[in-house]
Amino acid sequence: METQLITITEYCVNYNIEPSFIISLEDQGIITLELVDTEKYISVAQLKEMERYIHLHYDLEINIEGIDAIRHLLDKVDHMQKEITELRSRLRLHAP
């Protein structure tokens, strides 16, 4: 299965954002870009996340470090929700 990719340039034109924003996200380790020849690409699988980061940065004026902190906290909440679901499932097994 081949990964679908979009050039950063094309993505930035479509969303009217600066390429430096995407590069900053990569530098911070928030997203992963792929280098093909001399062009950097973003995978289609990351587009939903990218839209969230664009909203946080451009609409809510949150800096890259803030986006990273928010991402980290949302990941923790997601992990905790999964753990709660698992624990509830275990409790149902032991319920009379």
Side-chain angles (χ1 to χ4, degrees):
M1 186 167 104
E2 189 174 307
T3 305
Q4 294 180 339
L5 303 172
I6 299 172
T7 66
I8 290 180
T9 306
E10 180 181 350
Y11 189 81
C12 290
V13 168
N14 287 337
Y15 282 87
N16 195 27
I17 62 172
E18 294 294 322
S20 60
F21 171 67
I22 294 178
I23 299 302
S24 295
L25 290 173
E26 179 190 35
D27 291 345
Q28 194 70 24
I30 297 172
I31 63 168
T32 304
L33 299 177
E34 295 191 33
L35 183 64
V36 178
D37 296 326
T38 59
E39 187 86 44
K40 285 196 173 189
Y41 291 81
I42 185 166
S43 71
V44 171
Q46 294 185 93
L47 293 183
K48 184 177 179 181
E49 291 175 59
M50 278 299 303
E51 288 181 17
R52 177 184 293 155
Y53 303 145
I54 289 168
H55 170 68
L56 290 171
H57 185 70
Y58 287 96
D59 297 339
L60 301 178
E61 299 180 2
I62 297 174
N63 65 17
I64 300 298
E65 292 78 11
I67 290 171
D68 191 35
I70 290 168
R71 181 183 63 94
H72 178 71
L73 290 172
L74 288 174
D75 286 347
K76 284 184 97 169
V77 167
D78 185 52
H79 175 74
M80 291 170 77
Q81 286 175 333
K82 288 177 183 173
E83 189 174 357
I84 288 169
T85 301
E86 180 183 327
L87 291 171
R88 283 183 177 160
S89 176
R90 285 183 180 176
L91 283 173
R92 281 190 208 112
L93 291 174
H94 299 290

